[in-house]
Amino acid sequence: MKKLILFLMIFCSLGTVSAQEYPDKLNGGNKFNTLEEFRGIYNEIYKDENNEDLVKVCERTFLWPEFWIKDELIYSIKNCQELRNKNTLTEFINLEHKNIQKFNIFWNNFKTRFELERDLLRVENDLRRRTGLDYIFSDGERETKDSPFDSILDLNQLDEIFFGEKVEIPDLNFAKKTGKEMTEQIPIDDEDKWLEQIEKNHEPKKDKFNNYANNLSGSLYRMGIELFRDNLNLYPLWLAHIGKTMGDKVATDSLFTPSGFTADTHAVIQMSSDKPESVKLIYNPVSKLNSLIDNYVLKQEVELIQAKGFNVSRVSQLEQFDKEEKINRQKVAKSLNDFYQENERINENQYFTTTAPLFDKLNEMFSLFREKLKNINIDVMPPFLDKPDHSS
Amino acid sequence: MNINIKISRDFKLLFLIIICLPLNIASADLDKNFRENFSKITEKQCFNSIKYSVDDVVGIENTAEELYKWECISGKCEEYRTLINCLFNDAFEEAVNISNKNAKDYLNFEFSELRNSDINNEDKCVPLALKNIQEKQSNLGFKTDCLDGFSSKSYSACRVTETVLNEMCGYHNFLIAKMNDYKSFSNEELGYIHSITVSKGVSFEDKVSEYKKEIYKSKKAFLDASELYNNFVHKYRVHTWIIAIKSRLEYFAENWLKVSKAIETFPGKFIDASSLE
């Protein structure tokens, strides 16, 4: 609608304009200054039709397996040049073949392949010519080197007048660039690199105070989530309570949270489950941790190799990270083992040495009290706490 | 003396017989009446401006510079090709001139006419070839089917295609007649003996094969050229209009841009804007 109104405004306000030269001359000139460039087009098309270079056909023909013996070409490609000087193919072939039988075999093969290759080359030339002629006037060539005018160029100029910019073919690399990377010229050569960049751009912001920190603990956390998602969900809540009742050593950090792993950190698994077997997993985490560490190291090494292969700046980042977060498997495994053994010992000691005797004493007292009260009124006194059963 | 003359005559006759015998004497000739009236028959059927006779030389020869290379170097083949070439030359010129004229009439914008060089006339074209040919065809009774608006113009793609098709029809009929007439072939071969060009021992089958290829080749060339011309005519008209409009707009361009940006601020900012942003 806007364009229509604009056109109407223009028509109403037309004035006289002095004669000027062919417009394209003012913009740097073009190849076609006269109609001579259009003259003789039919002749050129006619001559180009069914006009194959026979030397080229011959060279392609000799690539067929019939003309090879033990991975060597029977004829030299240079022989094809001789085709130009011979009146018939028989004269050309007779140079090499004195044996009539061999000649007949060769002749049949050569003729068949020659005609096939010529037909194929003809189709190639036809396609080339037709597409070239189709796009001669609208291919967006800025210099109009193949025609005196270009419709796409004309429309671009109008776009610039109306809208200040011309319509471009969408930049396929545009979506891959983020705010920082818009100014960077990252060469993207294949799909894998493109996908890798997309994934990186969609990753959450990495910070050491959140779950996506780029350090060992964060990596282990992520790997733990990925690899042991189901197993983590099996850990019972009451194990968390064990941790909480350990006095000052209240655990807030987890092995799988990224606030840094030290030997003093105590694990609290805040999951729920009814399966008692899951307790054993807690007390044997070393083997699982080893596999986690192995996976993490492998992933790091693979990433480093890939980065080196792609020759991007991330190589230096990874190498630096590797130094800072150097994984010491033995140290980690020992620390974890010590922690759980200590945990177990504390639990056992605490129960058997302190809690259990107290319960026993209390039960004795109340059972004695009940017996003495039998004579008075058994029904009045409700039974007190029974001795807890800790055998399950 | 008489004996010498008699011997020379006999020798010539003998020589002709010896030459003719190796030639393949297989094909039947065309009907006598058909041969005599061939030109009128094709004109009535095809409305072609070129006159053809069955005895005319086609002009496709093996130049022997390259193997399997047959070229159109003389005869009716050359005449047809020149005619079509000149026809397209004229059509291009007329399309350019009339489009420029329209731009001047409707938009008051003058293009300088593309210069026509008279010095270099390698194509040997007659001026106004297109109009002359179309007149001849209409005189023969041809009535165009291109009647709607622009199509009725002499330089329109529709009319030019019709004109070339008529000429191609006559040419193909001529080639088909030659493929079925051994008499004219033998006359041509005999003609070679008395000329500088020496016959290469070409058989009638070879000639027939080349005539078939020529039919196919001329058809393909016509299709490509007419497609190019159709493309050119349409796009050149649009080009002249766009150039004329652009020259008018350049004066307003800067101010228009400012106005359009100011107008677009409101709708660009509020209309279709998501409430989540």
Side-chain angles (χ1 to χ4, degrees):
Chain A
M1 189 62 185
K2 205 192 297 181
K3 283 186 182 178
L4 180 62
I5 295 168
L6 180 68
F7 280 131
L8 287 172
M9 283 168 61
I10 292 162
F11 292 152
C12 294
S13 63
L14 284 177
T16 57
V17 176
S18 59
Q20 43 182 290
E21 292 185 12
Y22 190 66
D24 284 347
K25 282 187 188 175
L26 300 174
N27 295 329
N30 55 54
K31 188 181 170 184
F32 299 88
N33 289 323
T34 66
L35 276 175
E36 285 175 5
E37 297 293 339
F38 291 104
R39 287 180 181 275
I41 279 186
Y42 177 79
N43 273 341
E44 288 179 21
I45 292 171
Y46 178 85
K47 283 174 187 170
D48 196 46
E49 297 277 356
N50 296 9
N51 185 17
E52 297 80 36
D53 183 2
L54 295 179
V55 173
K56 201 174 180 181
V57 175
C58 172
E59 287 170 3
R60 289 186 181 187
T61 306
F62 280 150
L63 294 177
W64 285 88
E66 290 90 353
F67 308 108
W68 292 71
I69 293 177
K70 293 181 182 177
D71 297 333
E72 282 185 7
L73 188 62
I74 300 172
Y75 286 86
S76 156
I77 297 293
K78 290 179 186 175
N79 290 136
C80 289
Q81 296 290 340
E82 294 173 3
L83 265 179
R84 291 185 183 276
N85 302 325
K86 295 290 174 272
N87 291 328
T88 60
L89 269 177
T90 50
E91 287 183 30
F92 167 69
I93 293 164
N94 270 335
L95 290 172
E96 298 291 331
H97 287 282
K98 305 300 176 188
N99 187 334
I100 291 176
Q101 285 179 348
K102 282 186 180 178
F103 166 76
N104 284 334
I105 293 167
F106 177 80
W107 168 247
N108 288 332
N109 288 335
F110 186 84
K111 193 177 176 191
T112 310
R113 300 298 184 200
F114 187 89
E115 286 171 1
L116 173 65
E117 289 296 337
R118 188 179 57 185
D119 291 341
L120 289 172
L121 186 57
R122 185 169 294 174
V123 171
E124 281 180 37
N125 290 342
D126 286 348
L127 287 170
R128 172 190 48 80
R129 180 179 52 253
R130 292 202 70 180
T131 50
L133 292 176
D134 277 344
Y135 291 107
I136 193 172
F137 300 115
S138 57
D139 55 2
E141 283 284 327
R142 191 167 288 280
E143 296 169 0
T144 59
K145 55 188 175 186
D146 56 354
S147 67
F149 60 91
D150 195 310
S151 299
I152 291 177
L153 208 59
D154 292 341
L155 291 170
N156 284 342
Q157 289 169 355
L158 278 186
D159 280 338
E160 284 171 2
I161 291 172
F162 285 125
F163 310 110
E165 59 183 4
K166 63 179 180 179
V167 174
E168 293 275 11
I169 295 170
D171 182 10
L172 295 175
N173 293 330
F174 184 80
K176 302 170 201 170
K177 297 174 185 172
T178 55
K180 285 183 183 178
E181 290 169 349
M182 284 288 278
T183 55
E184 291 178 13
Q185 298 297 327
I186 300 173
I188 304 293
D189 296 326
D190 57 353
E191 287 183 7
D192 293 335
K193 280 188 191 175
W194 183 83
L195 285 170
E196 189 182 21
Q197 216 182 25
I198 287 287
E199 286 167 0
K200 283 176 188 172
N201 290 336
H202 282 83
E203 277 181 352
K205 190 179 174 184
K206 294 180 180 179
D207 185 86
K208 67 176 183 178
F209 300 109
N210 63 31
N211 291 339
Y212 298 94
N214 195 18
N215 54 21
L216 170 61
S217 302
S219 303
L220 287 174
Y221 172 78
R222 291 192 291 278
M223 291 177 68
I225 291 290
E226 290 167 6
L227 297 172
F228 299 105
R229 198 187 303 272
D230 293 333
N231 287 335
L232 287 174
N233 285 332
L234 297 176
Y235 298 149
L237 272 176
W238 61 269
L239 285 174
H241 288 291
I242 290 173
K244 282 186 180 175
T245 54
M246 286 163 67
D248 294 334
K249 294 183 181 176
V250 174
T252 54
D253 299 328
S254 161
L255 176 67
F256 302 106
T257 54
S259 61
F261 177 80
T262 64
D264 296 329
T265 306
H266 305 290
V268 173
I269 314 299
Q270 299 178 1
M271 300 295 174
S272 63
S273 172
D274 295 329
K275 295 187 180 178
E277 292 86 332
S278 60
V279 176
K280 294 177 187 173
L281 287 173
I282 280 293
Y283 290 106
N284 291 306
V286 178
S287 60
K288 298 296 179 189
L289 181 65
N290 276 339
S291 66
L292 284 177
I293 292 169
D294 287 337
N295 283 329
Y296 175 77
V297 169
L298 180 65
K299 190 179 175 187
Q300 226 183 6
E301 286 173 356
V302 167
E303 200 175 11
L304 195 65
I305 291 166
Q306 274 182 345
K308 280 181 181 171
F310 294 155
N311 194 25
V312 294
S313 59
R314 183 150 171 72
V315 172
S316 57
Q317 292 178 15
L318 287 171
E319 285 174 345
Q320 188 61 30
F321 168 70
D322 201 30
K323 287 177 190 172
E324 289 172 356
E325 299 279 345
K326 196 70 178 178
I327 299 170
N328 190 333
R329 284 193 193 79
Q330 291 175 353
K331 188 180 174 184
V332 167
K334 186 177 179 305
S335 302
L336 189 63
N337 214 12
D338 291 342
F339 162 69
Y340 280 109
Q341 283 179 0
E342 180 68 20
N343 195 24
E344 196 172 344
R345 185 184 63 78
I346 288 170
N347 286 342
E348 285 176 320
N349 288 342
Q350 197 171 30
Y351 177 73
F352 289 114
T353 58
T354 312
T355 311
L358 285 175
F359 273 113
D360 287 338
K361 230 179 196 180
L362 196 62
N363 276 332
E364 277 182 23
M365 287 170 64
F366 276 105
S367 59
L368 192 65
F369 181 69
R370 272 169 61 185
E371 283 179 9
K372 287 183 177 180
L373 289 176
K374 273 183 188 177
N375 297 330
I376 304 169
N377 191 354
I378 299 170
D379 295 336
V380 174
M381 295 296 291
F384 199 72
L385 285 173
D386 288 332
K387 181 177 178 182
D389 183 11
H390 296 288
S391 60
S392 62
Chain B
M1 184 69 173
N2 287 334
I3 293 170
N4 285 336
I5 291 168
K6 192 178 178 184
I7 287 171
S8 67
R9 278 187 194 157
D10 291 340
F11 179 74
K12 278 183 186 176
L13 186 61
L14 184 65
F15 185 70
L16 285 172
I17 292 168
I18 290 168
I19 292 299
C20 291
L21 274 174
L23 300 174
N24 292 326
I25 308 169
S27 307
D29 293 334
L30 292 172
D31 179 68
K32 189 180 175 185
N33 281 334
F34 182 81
R35 284 175 65 86
E36 288 173 0
N37 298 305
F38 176 75
S39 179
K40 288 181 184 174
I41 291 168
T42 51
E43 279 175 6
K44 273 192 176 176
Q45 185 186 2
C46 301
F47 309 105
N48 48 288
S49 60
I50 297 177
K51 290 194 181 305
Y52 296 102
S53 165
V54 181
D55 294 317
D56 288 335
V57 175
V58 176
I60 298 173
E61 305 295 336
N62 183 6
T63 56
E65 288 176 0
E66 276 190 31
L67 193 61
Y68 287 147
K69 199 88 171 180
W70 290 70
E71 284 185 88
C72 172
I73 53 174
S74 62
K76 285 297 178 186
C77 165
E78 177 73 10
E79 187 180 344
Y80 167 79
R81 192 160 57 89
T82 306
L83 181 84
I84 301 299
N85 187 47
C86 295
L87 192 151
F88 274 111
N89 288 350
D90 214 24
F92 276 112
E93 185 178 337
E94 201 164 329
V96 167
N97 291 338
I98 293 179
S99 297
N100 292 352
K101 187 172 176 298
N102 285 340
K104 183 183 175 184
D105 293 343
Y106 295 111
L107 296 173
N108 206 12
F109 183 88
E110 282 202 40
F111 284 83
S112 68
E113 290 183 3
L114 296 178
R115 296 194 300 273
N116 301 328
S117 171
D118 295 325
I119 300 169
N120 184 13
N121 194 9
E122 290 177 356
D123 297 335
K124 301 168 190 172
C125 289
V126 178
L128 300 175
L130 178 64
K131 277 192 176 168
N132 289 342
I133 293 166
Q134 286 175 344
E135 268 183 32
K136 283 181 186 175
Q137 288 182 358
S138 63
N139 289 341
L140 289 169
F142 174 70
K143 289 181 183 174
T144 177
D145 288 330
C146 304
L147 302 169
D148 302 329
F150 175 73
S151 301
S152 60
K153 307 282 183 191
S154 63
Y155 65 93
S156 69
C158 184
R159 285 289 287 124
V160 168
T161 307
E162 268 187 340
T163 310
V164 175
L165 272 172
N166 291 340
E167 295 300 325
M168 197 169 72
C169 172
Y171 180 57
H172 285 179
N173 277 354
F174 168 67
L175 288 173
I176 292 167
K178 292 293 282 184
M179 285 196 292
N180 290 286
D181 186 63
Y182 181 77
K183 185 178 174 183
S184 58
F185 166 76
S186 60
N187 289 341
E188 281 181 35
E189 286 297 302
L190 283 171
Y192 279 126
I193 293 167
H194 296 284
S195 69
I196 298 170
T197 311
V198 178
S199 172
K200 300 291 184 297
V202 178
S203 67
F204 184 62
E205 279 75 19
D206 289 341
K207 284 277 187 175
V208 168
S209 169
E210 289 309 315
Y211 294 160
K212 284 182 185 171
K213 288 175 188 173
E214 173 62 16
I215 289 173
Y216 180 67
K217 193 172 173 178
S218 60
K219 214 183 275 186
K220 271 174 66 178
F222 156 69
L223 283 171
D224 288 345
S226 64
E227 207 170 316
L228 169 67
Y229 182 73
N230 187 24
N231 215 5
F232 170 81
V233 165
H234 174 71
K235 290 203 167 126
Y236 187 75
R237 288 175 71 225
V238 172
H239 170 67
T240 52
W241 281 72
I242 287 177
I243 294 297
I245 290 167
K246 185 193 151 202
S247 68
R248 291 271 185 276
L249 285 177
E250 278 167 351
Y251 175 75
F252 300 102
E254 286 183 12
N255 295 327
W256 168 250
L257 201 60
K258 287 178 190 171
V259 169
S260 67
K261 280 188 176 174
I263 291 170
E264 281 176 6
T265 302
F266 181 81
K269 220 174 179 180
F270 299 105
I271 295 174
D272 293 334
S274 170
S275 58
L276 295 175
E277 289 178 7

